[in-house]
Amino acid sequence: MEQEIFTEEIINKKELISELHEMANFLDSQIDTKNPEDLNSFFSMVIDCIMARQRLLVKALMEELCAEKDIDYSAFMRGLYREK
């Protein structure tokens, strides 16, 4: 399990780096860096991108842990949200 998580994390980081490079190119070519609204919008996109990757990693981790303990991940998550 640790190796799978480690591999998933490496893949996740490589994909994130690729997305961030694309965003940097977008910043260079499409964003008016002197306009605070454009910069705020751009950095919000960057934060959203990073957070989405983190959610994917956490989900993969949770699925692995649930599988290891013979817990139905979907049922576990439904129960978790029902409690709120």
Side-chain angles (χ1 to χ4, degrees), residues 3-47:
Q3 183 63 36
E4 290 173 11
I5 293 170
F6 182 69
T7 302
E8 181 74 24
E9 191 171 343
I10 290 171
I11 292 168
N12 192 31
K13 284 182 181 176
K14 285 181 179 179
E15 290 173 352
L16 176 60
I17 288 168
S18 176
E19 287 180 38
L20 291 176
H21 280 290
E22 288 176 23
M23 290 180 139
N25 291 335
F26 182 75
L27 175 65
D28 289 339
S29 64
Q30 303 291 321
I31 302 294
D32 177 5
T33 56
K34 296 190 185 333
N35 182 337
E37 282 184 23
D38 283 357
L39 281 175
N40 283 338
S41 177
F42 173 76
F43 285 116
S44 288
M45 287 187 331
V46 171
I47 290 168

